[in-house]
Amino acid sequence: MDEDCLFCKIIEGSIPAAKVYEDEQCVAIEDINPQAPTHILLIPKRHIATVLDLAPEDAALVGHLHLNAADIARKRGLTDGFRLVFNCNAGAGQTVYHIHLHLLGGRTFGWPPG
């Protein structure tokens, strides 16, 4: 846990969030600034600042986030399509330095993304 991290505070319960899912490895919350009708953040409970800080032993955790995102997408009826995104560092739009997977759906997305 990082005492100054917004997501660590959400995980420990000191900051409220609209939880969609939680297990021993991660929590999924509704994004407070949604960019699509469905915009959920899947956050590992272990603090990892950026994707560049992932190690080979984190492969199962990253897979776990993706599998849970797919399950949530199915439950939300996003079978026509959805997008999964990790932003890494400020140049890619990362604003909270605790990795999190964005699940976006419920609208058509363009390519390339902004």
Side-chain angles (χ1 to χ4, degrees), residues 9-41:
K9 291 176 182 179
I10 288 171
I11 291 163
E12 74 181 7
S14 62
I15 293 178
K19 289 184 183 176
V20 172
Y21 175 82
E22 183 171 13
D23 65 23
E24 66 284 345
Q25 296 182 65
C26 71
V27 62
I29 63 171
E30 298 282 352
D31 193 297
I32 61 169
N33 184 26
Q35 301 301 304
T38 296
H39 189 168
I40 295 169
L41 306 178

PDB file of all heavy atoms in Angstrom, residues 9-41:
ATOM      1  N   LYS A   9      -6.185   3.987  -1.139  1.00  0.00           N
ATOM      2  CA  LYS A   9      -7.166   4.445  -0.148  1.00  0.00           C
ATOM      3  C   LYS A   9      -8.555   3.875  -0.444  1.00  0.00           C
ATOM      4  O   LYS A   9      -9.305   3.535   0.474  1.00  0.00           O
ATOM      5  CB  LYS A   9      -7.201   5.967  -0.098  1.00  0.00           C
ATOM      6  CG  LYS A   9      -5.933   6.565   0.490  1.00  0.00           C
ATOM      7  CD  LYS A   9      -5.949   8.077   0.443  1.00  0.00           C
ATOM      8  CE  LYS A   9      -4.643   8.625   0.986  1.00  0.00           C
ATOM      9  NZ  LYS A   9      -4.591  10.091   0.933  1.00  0.00           N
ATOM     10  N   ILE A  10      -8.903   3.759  -1.716  1.00  0.00           N
ATOM     11  CA  ILE A  10     -10.179   3.141  -2.095  1.00  0.00           C
ATOM     12  C   ILE A  10     -10.168   1.668  -1.694  1.00  0.00           C
ATOM     13  O   ILE A  10     -11.138   1.159  -1.117  1.00  0.00           O
ATOM     14  CB  ILE A  10     -10.451   3.318  -3.600  1.00  0.00           C
ATOM     15  CG1 ILE A  10     -10.812   4.783  -3.890  1.00  0.00           C
ATOM     16  CG2 ILE A  10     -11.561   2.380  -4.074  1.00  0.00           C
ATOM     17  CD1 ILE A  10     -10.891   5.139  -5.354  1.00  0.00           C
ATOM     18  N   ILE A  11      -9.079   0.981  -1.965  1.00  0.00           N
ATOM     19  CA  ILE A  11      -8.961  -0.444  -1.634  1.00  0.00           C
ATOM     20  C   ILE A  11      -9.085  -0.665  -0.133  1.00  0.00           C
ATOM     21  O   ILE A  11      -9.770  -1.586   0.308  1.00  0.00           O
ATOM     22  CB  ILE A  11      -7.636  -1.011  -2.188  1.00  0.00           C
ATOM     23  CG1 ILE A  11      -7.697  -1.065  -3.717  1.00  0.00           C
ATOM     24  CG2 ILE A  11      -7.327  -2.381  -1.599  1.00  0.00           C
ATOM     25  CD1 ILE A  11      -6.345  -1.218  -4.387  1.00  0.00           C
ATOM     26  N   GLU A  12      -8.451   0.188   0.673  1.00  0.00           N
ATOM     27  CA  GLU A  12      -8.522   0.015   2.120  1.00  0.00           C
ATOM     28  C   GLU A  12      -9.840   0.510   2.713  1.00  0.00           C
ATOM     29  O   GLU A  12     -10.137   0.241   3.871  1.00  0.00           O
ATOM     30  CB  GLU A  12      -7.334   0.680   2.805  1.00  0.00           C
ATOM     31  CG  GLU A  12      -7.409   2.191   2.851  1.00  0.00           C
ATOM     32  CD  GLU A  12      -6.216   2.853   3.518  1.00  0.00           C
ATOM     33  OE1 GLU A  12      -5.229   2.166   3.844  1.00  0.00           O
ATOM     34  OE2 GLU A  12      -6.273   4.073   3.716  1.00  0.00           O
ATOM     35  N   GLY A  13     -10.636   1.230   1.917  1.00  0.00           N
ATOM     36  CA  GLY A  13     -11.948   1.666   2.372  1.00  0.00           C
ATOM     37  C   GLY A  13     -12.007   3.051   2.982  1.00  0.00           C
ATOM     38  O   GLY A  13     -13.067   3.476   3.435  1.00  0.00           O
ATOM     39  N   SER A  14     -10.902   3.792   2.962  1.00  0.00           N
ATOM     40  CA  SER A  14     -10.923   5.135   3.559  1.00  0.00           C
ATOM     41  C   SER A  14     -11.508   6.179   2.605  1.00  0.00           C
ATOM     42  O   SER A  14     -11.865   7.273   3.033  1.00  0.00           O
ATOM     43  CB  SER A  14      -9.528   5.549   4.037  1.00  0.00           C
ATOM     44  OG  SER A  14      -8.614   5.614   2.975  1.00  0.00           O
ATOM     45  N   ILE A  15     -11.602   5.852   1.321  1.00  0.00           N
ATOM     46  CA  ILE A  15     -12.278   6.702   0.334  1.00  0.00           C
ATOM     47  C   ILE A  15     -13.359   5.835  -0.311  1.00  0.00           C
ATOM     48  O   ILE A  15     -13.072   4.737  -0.793  1.00  0.00           O
ATOM     49  CB  ILE A  15     -11.301   7.238  -0.736  1.00  0.00           C
ATOM     50  CG1 ILE A  15     -10.304   8.209  -0.101  1.00  0.00           C
ATOM     51  CG2 ILE A  15     -12.059   7.916  -1.872  1.00  0.00           C
ATOM     52  CD1 ILE A  15      -9.273   8.765  -1.066  1.00  0.00           C
ATOM     53  N   PRO A  16     -14.612   6.321  -0.327  1.00  0.00           N
ATOM     54  CA  PRO A  16     -15.688   5.507  -0.903  1.00  0.00           C
ATOM     55  C   PRO A  16     -15.603   5.453  -2.428  1.00  0.00           C
ATOM     56  O   PRO A  16     -15.091   6.366  -3.071  1.00  0.00           O
ATOM     57  CB  PRO A  16     -16.961   6.230  -0.451  1.00  0.00           C
ATOM     58  CG  PRO A  16     -16.535   7.640  -0.205  1.00  0.00           C
ATOM     59  CD  PRO A  16     -15.094   7.588   0.229  1.00  0.00           C
ATOM     60  N   ALA A  17     -16.108   4.362  -2.971  1.00  0.00           N
ATOM     61  CA  ALA A  17     -16.175   4.177  -4.421  1.00  0.00           C
ATOM     62  C   ALA A  17     -17.331   3.226  -4.719  1.00  0.00           C
ATOM     63  O   ALA A  17     -17.704   2.413  -3.879  1.00  0.00           O
ATOM     64  CB  ALA A  17     -14.867   3.605  -4.957  1.00  0.00           C
ATOM     65  N   ALA A  18     -17.881   3.339  -5.914  1.00  0.00           N
ATOM     66  CA  ALA A  18     -18.961   2.452  -6.345  1.00  0.00           C
ATOM     67  C   ALA A  18     -18.335   1.151  -6.841  1.00  0.00           C
ATOM     68  O   ALA A  18     -17.947   1.027  -8.005  1.00  0.00           O
ATOM     69  CB  ALA A  18     -19.791   3.118  -7.431  1.00  0.00           C
ATOM     70  N   LYS A  19     -18.231   0.168  -5.945  1.00  0.00           N
ATOM     71  CA  LYS A  19     -17.608  -1.110  -6.292  1.00  0.00           C
ATOM     72  C   LYS A  19     -18.554  -1.959  -7.125  1.00  0.00           C
ATOM     73  O   LYS A  19     -19.732  -2.078  -6.836  1.00  0.00           O
ATOM     74  CB  LYS A  19     -17.201  -1.865  -5.032  1.00  0.00           C
ATOM     75  CG  LYS A  19     -16.024  -1.243  -4.321  1.00  0.00           C
ATOM     76  CD  LYS A  19     -15.587  -2.072  -3.140  1.00  0.00           C
ATOM     77  CE  LYS A  19     -14.446  -1.375  -2.410  1.00  0.00           C
ATOM     78  NZ  LYS A  19     -14.062  -2.098  -1.195  1.00  0.00           N
ATOM     79  N   VAL A  20     -17.982  -2.559  -8.152  1.00  0.00           N
ATOM     80  CA  VAL A  20     -18.692  -3.446  -9.057  1.00  0.00           C
ATOM     81  C   VAL A  20     -18.320  -4.898  -8.735  1.00  0.00           C
ATOM     82  O   VAL A  20     -19.131  -5.807  -8.874  1.00  0.00           O
ATOM     83  CB  VAL A  20     -18.317  -3.115 -10.523  1.00  0.00           C
ATOM     84  CG1 VAL A  20     -18.861  -4.125 -11.497  1.00  0.00           C
ATOM     85  CG2 VAL A  20     -18.766  -1.712 -10.872  1.00  0.00           C
ATOM     86  N   TYR A  21     -17.083  -5.102  -8.297  1.00  0.00           N
ATOM     87  CA  TYR A  21     -16.545  -6.434  -8.064  1.00  0.00           C
ATOM     88  C   TYR A  21     -15.360  -6.311  -7.117  1.00  0.00           C
ATOM     89  O   TYR A  21     -14.659  -5.302  -7.114  1.00  0.00           O
ATOM     90  CB  TYR A  21     -16.084  -7.055  -9.398  1.00  0.00           C
ATOM     91  CG  TYR A  21     -15.399  -8.380  -9.234  1.00  0.00           C
ATOM     92  CD1 TYR A  21     -16.137  -9.550  -9.093  1.00  0.00           C
ATOM     93  CD2 TYR A  21     -14.013  -8.465  -9.208  1.00  0.00           C
ATOM     94  CE1 TYR A  21     -15.506 -10.776  -8.922  1.00  0.00           C
ATOM     95  CE2 TYR A  21     -13.375  -9.687  -9.043  1.00  0.00           C
ATOM     96  CZ  TYR A  21     -14.129 -10.841  -8.900  1.00  0.00           C
ATOM     97  OH  TYR A  21     -13.507 -12.046  -8.725  1.00  0.00           O
ATOM     98  N   GLU A  22     -15.143  -7.372  -6.323  1.00  0.00           N
ATOM     99  CA  GLU A  22     -13.955  -7.413  -5.474  1.00  0.00           C
ATOM    100  C   GLU A  22     -13.628  -8.864  -5.177  1.00  0.00           C
ATOM    101  O   GLU A  22     -14.513  -9.689  -4.961  1.00  0.00           O
ATOM    102  CB  GLU A  22     -14.188  -6.650  -4.173  1.00  0.00           C
ATOM    103  CG  GLU A  22     -12.966  -6.591  -3.286  1.00  0.00           C
ATOM    104  CD  GLU A  22     -13.112  -5.661  -2.094  1.00  0.00           C
ATOM    105  OE1 GLU A  22     -14.245  -5.236  -1.792  1.00  0.00           O
ATOM    106  OE2 GLU A  22     -12.082  -5.357  -1.461  1.00  0.00           O
ATOM    107  N   ASP A  23     -12.337  -9.178  -5.175  1.00  0.00           N
ATOM    108  CA  ASP A  23     -11.846 -10.470  -4.725  1.00  0.00           C
ATOM    109  C   ASP A  23     -10.519 -10.231  -4.005  1.00  0.00           C
ATOM    110  O   ASP A  23     -10.172  -9.079  -3.701  1.00  0.00           O
ATOM    111  CB  ASP A  23     -11.746 -11.479  -5.890  1.00  0.00           C
ATOM    112  CG  ASP A  23     -10.715 -11.115  -6.955  1.00  0.00           C
ATOM    113  OD1 ASP A  23      -9.758 -10.363  -6.673  1.00  0.00           O
ATOM    114  OD2 ASP A  23     -10.869 -11.587  -8.099  1.00  0.00           O
ATOM    115  N   GLU A  24      -9.776 -11.289  -3.738  1.00  0.00           N
ATOM    116  CA  GLU A  24      -8.543 -11.163  -2.960  1.00  0.00           C
ATOM    117  C   GLU A  24      -7.434 -10.424  -3.712  1.00  0.00           C
ATOM    118  O   GLU A  24      -6.513  -9.889  -3.095  1.00  0.00           O
ATOM    119  CB  GLU A  24      -8.044 -12.537  -2.500  1.00  0.00           C
ATOM    120  CG  GLU A  24      -7.587 -13.464  -3.612  1.00  0.00           C
ATOM    121  CD  GLU A  24      -8.727 -14.110  -4.411  1.00  0.00           C
ATOM    122  OE1 GLU A  24      -9.897 -14.098  -3.974  1.00  0.00           O
ATOM    123  OE2 GLU A  24      -8.431 -14.603  -5.506  1.00  0.00           O
ATOM    124  N   GLN A  25      -7.534 -10.345  -5.047  1.00  0.00           N
ATOM    125  CA  GLN A  25      -6.474  -9.725  -5.836  1.00  0.00           C
ATOM    126  C   GLN A  25      -6.804  -8.350  -6.391  1.00  0.00           C
ATOM    127  O   GLN A  25      -5.891  -7.583  -6.700  1.00  0.00           O
ATOM    128  CB  GLN A  25      -6.106 -10.631  -7.010  1.00  0.00           C
ATOM    129  CG  GLN A  25      -5.514 -11.958  -6.608  1.00  0.00           C
ATOM    130  CD  GLN A  25      -5.139 -12.758  -7.824  1.00  0.00           C
ATOM    131  OE1 GLN A  25      -4.252 -12.351  -8.585  1.00  0.00           O
ATOM    132  NE2 GLN A  25      -5.803 -13.866  -8.047  1.00  0.00           N
ATOM    133  N   CYS A  26      -8.091  -8.056  -6.571  1.00  0.00           N
ATOM    134  CA  CYS A  26      -8.435  -6.805  -7.241  1.00  0.00           C
ATOM    135  C   CYS A  26      -9.800  -6.287  -6.811  1.00  0.00           C
ATOM    136  O   CYS A  26     -10.584  -6.996  -6.173  1.00  0.00           O
ATOM    137  CB  CYS A  26      -8.404  -6.964  -8.760  1.00  0.00           C
ATOM    138  SG  CYS A  26      -9.741  -7.958  -9.451  1.00  0.00           S
ATOM    139  N   VAL A  27     -10.032  -5.053  -7.189  1.00  0.00           N
ATOM    140  CA  VAL A  27     -11.335  -4.420  -7.005  1.00  0.00           C
ATOM    141  C   VAL A  27     -11.687  -3.749  -8.331  1.00  0.00           C
ATOM    142  O   VAL A  27     -10.809  -3.288  -9.053  1.00  0.00           O
ATOM    143  CB  VAL A  27     -11.314  -3.411  -5.831  1.00  0.00           C
ATOM    144  CG1 VAL A  27     -10.344  -2.270  -6.081  1.00  0.00           C
ATOM    145  CG2 VAL A  27     -12.689  -2.878  -5.526  1.00  0.00           C
ATOM    146  N   ALA A  28     -12.979  -3.734  -8.645  1.00  0.00           N
ATOM    147  CA  ALA A  28     -13.460  -3.040  -9.845  1.00  0.00           C
ATOM    148  C   ALA A  28     -14.448  -1.977  -9.387  1.00  0.00           C
ATOM    149  O   ALA A  28     -15.336  -2.252  -8.582  1.00  0.00           O
ATOM    150  CB  ALA A  28     -14.127  -4.022 -10.806  1.00  0.00           C
ATOM    151  N   ILE A  29     -14.254  -0.751  -9.893  1.00  0.00           N
ATOM    152  CA  ILE A  29     -15.105   0.373  -9.499  1.00  0.00           C
ATOM    153  C   ILE A  29     -15.589   1.123 -10.730  1.00  0.00           C
ATOM    154  O   ILE A  29     -14.954   1.086 -11.780  1.00  0.00           O
ATOM    155  CB  ILE A  29     -14.359   1.351  -8.551  1.00  0.00           C
ATOM    156  CG1 ILE A  29     -13.156   1.995  -9.254  1.00  0.00           C
ATOM    157  CG2 ILE A  29     -13.937   0.651  -7.263  1.00  0.00           C
ATOM    158  CD1 ILE A  29     -12.501   3.130  -8.486  1.00  0.00           C
ATOM    159  N   GLU A  30     -16.699   1.805 -10.568  1.00  0.00           N
ATOM    160  CA  GLU A  30     -17.190   2.702 -11.619  1.00  0.00           C
ATOM    161  C   GLU A  30     -16.260   3.915 -11.674  1.00  0.00           C
ATOM    162  O   GLU A  30     -15.893   4.477 -10.634  1.00  0.00           O
ATOM    163  CB  GLU A  30     -18.610   3.179 -11.301  1.00  0.00           C
ATOM    164  CG  GLU A  30     -19.651   2.073 -11.236  1.00  0.00           C
ATOM    165  CD  GLU A  30     -20.119   1.586 -12.591  1.00  0.00           C
ATOM    166  OE1 GLU A  30     -19.765   2.187 -13.624  1.00  0.00           O
ATOM    167  OE2 GLU A  30     -20.862   0.587 -12.611  1.00  0.00           O
ATOM    168  N   ASP A  31     -15.869   4.324 -12.879  1.00  0.00           N
ATOM    169  CA  ASP A  31     -15.043   5.516 -13.047  1.00  0.00           C
ATOM    170  C   ASP A  31     -15.876   6.759 -12.711  1.00  0.00           C
ATOM    171  O   ASP A  31     -17.035   6.840 -13.119  1.00  0.00           O
ATOM    172  CB  ASP A  31     -14.525   5.591 -14.483  1.00  0.00           C
ATOM    173  CG  ASP A  31     -13.416   6.611 -14.647  1.00  0.00           C
ATOM    174  OD1 ASP A  31     -13.681   7.819 -14.437  1.00  0.00           O
ATOM    175  OD2 ASP A  31     -12.305   6.223 -14.995  1.00  0.00           O
ATOM    176  N   ILE A  32     -15.308   7.696 -11.964  1.00  0.00           N
ATOM    177  CA  ILE A  32     -16.062   8.901 -11.586  1.00  0.00           C
ATOM    178  C   ILE A  32     -16.152   9.916 -12.726  1.00  0.00           C
ATOM    179  O   ILE A  32     -16.918  10.865 -12.647  1.00  0.00           O
ATOM    180  CB  ILE A  32     -15.497   9.577 -10.316  1.00  0.00           C
ATOM    181  CG1 ILE A  32     -14.054  10.029 -10.521  1.00  0.00           C
ATOM    182  CG2 ILE A  32     -15.619   8.649  -9.114  1.00  0.00           C
ATOM    183  CD1 ILE A  32     -13.531  10.929  -9.428  1.00  0.00           C
ATOM    184  N   ASN A  33     -15.368   9.712 -13.791  1.00  0.00           N
ATOM    185  CA  ASN A  33     -15.415  10.572 -14.963  1.00  0.00           C
ATOM    186  C   ASN A  33     -15.543   9.690 -16.202  1.00  0.00           C
ATOM    187  O   ASN A  33     -14.612   9.587 -17.014  1.00  0.00           O
ATOM    188  CB  ASN A  33     -14.154  11.443 -15.026  1.00  0.00           C
ATOM    189  CG  ASN A  33     -14.193  12.428 -16.167  1.00  0.00           C
ATOM    190  OD1 ASN A  33     -15.256  12.829 -16.627  1.00  0.00           O
ATOM    191  ND2 ASN A  33     -13.020  12.801 -16.651  1.00  0.00           N
ATOM    192  N   PRO A  34     -16.701   9.032 -16.375  1.00  0.00           N
ATOM    193  CA  PRO A  34     -16.819   8.019 -17.425  1.00  0.00           C
ATOM    194  C   PRO A  34     -16.677   8.585 -18.831  1.00  0.00           C
ATOM    195  O   PRO A  34     -17.194   9.649 -19.146  1.00  0.00           O
ATOM    196  CB  PRO A  34     -18.209   7.433 -17.193  1.00  0.00           C
ATOM    197  CG  PRO A  34     -18.965   8.465 -16.440  1.00  0.00           C
ATOM    198  CD  PRO A  34     -17.946   9.210 -15.626  1.00  0.00           C
ATOM    199  N   GLN A  35     -15.971   7.831 -19.662  1.00  0.00           N
ATOM    200  CA  GLN A  35     -15.752   8.183 -21.058  1.00  0.00           C
ATOM    201  C   GLN A  35     -16.616   7.344 -21.993  1.00  0.00           C
ATOM    202  O   GLN A  35     -16.490   7.453 -23.214  1.00  0.00           O
ATOM    203  CB  GLN A  35     -14.278   8.013 -21.404  1.00  0.00           C
ATOM    204  CG  GLN A  35     -13.355   8.852 -20.548  1.00  0.00           C
ATOM    205  CD  GLN A  35     -13.650  10.339 -20.658  1.00  0.00           C
ATOM    206  OE1 GLN A  35     -13.646  10.891 -21.760  1.00  0.00           O
ATOM    207  NE2 GLN A  35     -13.909  10.990 -19.540  1.00  0.00           N
ATOM    208  N   ALA A  36     -17.481   6.519 -21.415  1.00  0.00           N
ATOM    209  CA  ALA A  36     -18.412   5.678 -22.168  1.00  0.00           C
ATOM    210  C   ALA A  36     -19.541   5.310 -21.207  1.00  0.00           C
ATOM    211  O   ALA A  36     -19.388   5.469 -19.984  1.00  0.00           O
ATOM    212  CB  ALA A  36     -17.700   4.425 -22.674  1.00  0.00           C
ATOM    213  N   PRO A  37     -20.667   4.829 -21.737  1.00  0.00           N
ATOM    214  CA  PRO A  37     -21.762   4.433 -20.844  1.00  0.00           C
ATOM    215  C   PRO A  37     -21.334   3.425 -19.774  1.00  0.00           C
ATOM    216  O   PRO A  37     -21.800   3.483 -18.634  1.00  0.00           O
ATOM    217  CB  PRO A  37     -22.797   3.842 -21.803  1.00  0.00           C
ATOM    218  CG  PRO A  37     -22.573   4.592 -23.083  1.00  0.00           C
ATOM    219  CD  PRO A  37     -21.072   4.754 -23.155  1.00  0.00           C
ATOM    220  N   THR A  38     -20.454   2.499 -20.134  1.00  0.00           N
ATOM    221  CA  THR A  38     -19.812   1.628 -19.149  1.00  0.00           C
ATOM    222  C   THR A  38     -18.351   2.023 -19.095  1.00  0.00           C
ATOM    223  O   THR A  38     -17.663   2.020 -20.121  1.00  0.00           O
ATOM    224  CB  THR A  38     -19.939   0.136 -19.546  1.00  0.00           C
ATOM    225  OG1 THR A  38     -21.309  -0.227 -19.542  1.00  0.00           O
ATOM    226  CG2 THR A  38     -19.157  -0.752 -18.593  1.00  0.00           C
ATOM    227  N   HIS A  39     -17.887   2.402 -17.915  1.00  0.00           N
ATOM    228  CA  HIS A  39     -16.471   2.730 -17.721  1.00  0.00           C
ATOM    229  C   HIS A  39     -16.107   2.275 -16.316  1.00  0.00           C
ATOM    230  O   HIS A  39     -16.431   2.930 -15.330  1.00  0.00           O
ATOM    231  CB  HIS A  39     -16.209   4.227 -17.897  1.00  0.00           C
ATOM    232  CG  HIS A  39     -14.753   4.565 -17.928  1.00  0.00           C
ATOM    233  ND1 HIS A  39     -14.305   5.796 -18.316  1.00  0.00           N
ATOM    234  CD2 HIS A  39     -13.641   3.837 -17.640  1.00  0.00           C
ATOM    235  CE1 HIS A  39     -12.984   5.830 -18.245  1.00  0.00           C
ATOM    236  NE2 HIS A  39     -12.560   4.642 -17.833  1.00  0.00           N
ATOM    237  N   ILE A  40     -15.452   1.135 -16.269  1.00  0.00           N
ATOM    238  CA  ILE A  40     -15.086   0.500 -15.005  1.00  0.00           C
ATOM    239  C   ILE A  40     -13.574   0.395 -14.938  1.00  0.00           C
ATOM    240  O   ILE A  40     -12.914   0.105 -15.945  1.00  0.00           O
ATOM    241  CB  ILE A  40     -15.745  -0.895 -14.908  1.00  0.00           C
ATOM    242  CG1 ILE A  40     -17.268  -0.716 -14.848  1.00  0.00           C
ATOM    243  CG2 ILE A  40     -15.231  -1.673 -13.701  1.00  0.00           C
ATOM    244  CD1 ILE A  40     -18.050  -1.978 -15.013  1.00  0.00           C
ATOM    245  N   LEU A  41     -13.030   0.634 -13.754  1.00  0.00           N
ATOM    246  CA  LEU A  41     -11.595   0.490 -13.520  1.00  0.00           C
ATOM    247  C   LEU A  41     -11.357  -0.783 -12.721  1.00  0.00           C
ATOM    248  O   LEU A  41     -11.956  -0.966 -11.660  1.00  0.00           O
ATOM    249  CB  LEU A  41     -11.056   1.686 -12.738  1.00  0.00           C
ATOM    250  CG  LEU A  41     -11.343   3.062 -13.323  1.00  0.00           C
ATOM    251  CD1 LEU A  41     -10.792   4.140 -12.394  1.00  0.00           C
ATOM    252  CD2 LEU A  41     -10.775   3.196 -14.718  1.00  0.00           C
TER     253      LEU A  41
END
